Amino acid sequence: MTVTITAFESSPDRGRGLARDMRVRWALEEVGQPYEVRLLSFAEMKEPAHLALQPFGQIPSYEEDGLVLFETGAIVLHIASRRTGLLPQDEAARKRAVAWMFAALNTVEPPIVEHSMALVLERDKPWFAARMPMLEQRVDQRLEQLSRALGDAEWLECGFSAGDLMMVSVLLRIRSSGLLSAYPNLEAYLARGEARPAYQRAFAAQLTAFERSRAER
Ligand code: GTB
């Protein structure tokens, strides 16, 4: 089986593992599936060849022997369903792990992305100072709820799962804001995710890709 994903040729995060190919790389590393990466420039992401794989002109896309997927939720769920290691055996626990994947993408990620985008795109706008506390409060509400749900547990659902992979990936984007410091159990949760050998292999691979492309420019 040959798996090929796409990623930024030059990631705006400078290889800090925040672009969304990272969660797919991590899932592939967790299940021991080798993969190839096709790096794309911003212009190439909007060309017909890539739009045929990813209708929104984004990364990552996923190709596997004729199967083409887009959306990291669908891609990680596919990987987790095909190989062991990312979903519990017990059916109820498996369904709850999938629920945590959806929670990460649909409930926790939207306010985090809105907060991050405002920091990047709206700093010079007249409304920025008034809007920021509201965006921080929306993120904090989700962090407080998630912190309560996790409690003292190591992972969200009886052992590390694709739900944790997705949740940790989503939370990493907010770490530099300092908002996580109110929730030591979430900080420890992120550290456990980052300590996983599969995470570290995925992180090293995307950093190497960024550094190579910078050296070639
Ligand atoms: N819902 C889609 C999915 O989960 O697959 C979202 C995919 C997505 O947003 N991809 C982004 C993209 O291709 C890259 S990851 N953007 C280009 C475009 O839309 O034209 C988002 C991202 C970019 C940069 C940072 N960063 O610099 O920290 C973090 C995350």
Side-chain angles (χ1 to χ4, degrees):
M1 179 164 70
T2 308
V3 169
T4 305
I5 67 167
T6 50
F8 283 128
E9 181 180 75
S10 177
S11 186
D13 75 339
R14 307 178 64 78
R16 285 186 301 138
L18 300 178
R20 284 185 176 81
D21 58 295
M22 176 62 198
R23 51 187 75 166
V24 174
R25 291 174 185 267
W26 185 8
L28 290 164
E29 292 287 353
E30 287 284 349
V31 302
Q33 171 63 52
Y35 62 98
E36 288 168 15
V37 184
R38 197 163 57 247
L39 299 176
L40 300 177
S41 65
F42 278 96
E44 286 168 331
M45 285 162 57
K46 309 303 174 196
E47 285 172 6
H50 184 62
L51 289 170
L53 307 177
Q54 214 293 2
F56 304 102
Q58 298 179 315
I59 59 94
S61 58
Y62 176 97
E63 294 157 81
E64 173 200 303
D65 298 341
L67 171 70
V68 176
L69 287 176
F70 59 98
E71 285 297 327
T72 52
I75 297 168
V76 171
L77 185 56
H78 168 73
I79 296 165
S81 306
R82 285 285 289 270
R83 305 282 296 262
T84 53
L86 280 173
L87 287 175
Q89 293 290 315
D90 174 74
E91 195 187 348
R94 192 164 65 243
K95 288 185 172 163
R96 283 183 58 81
V98 173
W100 281 116
M101 288 183 67
F102 277 85
L105 295 172
N106 214 29
T107 303
V108 179
E109 188 164 50
I112 287 180
V113 169
E114 204 173 353
H115 177 273
S116 306
M117 295 303 280
L119 282 175
V120 174
L121 300 174
E122 299 177 31
R123 263 187 201 282
D124 58 344
K125 303 292 186 233
W127 61 78
F128 180 74
R131 185 163 137 80
M132 230 24 217
M134 181 190 74
L135 296 181
E136 285 176 0
Q137 192 275 328
R138 286 184 190 157
V139 171
D140 185 67
Q141 180 188 22
R142 293 302 180 225
L143 296 182
E144 193 275 323
Q145 292 164 325
L146 182 66
S147 170
R148 227 170 341 105
L150 180 66
D152 293 334
E154 203 176 0
W155 305 112
L156 289 166
E157 201 61 44
C158 56
F160 179 79
S161 77
D164 297 298
L165 185 150
M166 207 53 100
M167 194 64 81
V168 168
S169 301
V170 161
L171 292 178
L172 282 169
R173 189 153 174 190
I174 204 76
R175 186 164 54 184
S176 62
S177 72
L179 291 174
L180 279 166
S181 62
Y183 305 101
N185 69 333
L186 293 184
E187 289 189 315
Y189 176 61
L190 286 203
R192 279 193 291 281
E194 287 178 303
R196 292 183 69 82
Y199 176 93
Q200 292 185 5
R201 288 194 296 274
F203 186 91
Q206 60 81 42
L207 181 59
T208 299
F210 174 77
E211 285 173 347
R212 272 204 197 122
S213 89
R214 191 177 51 177
E216 282 164 16
R217 266 177 281 135

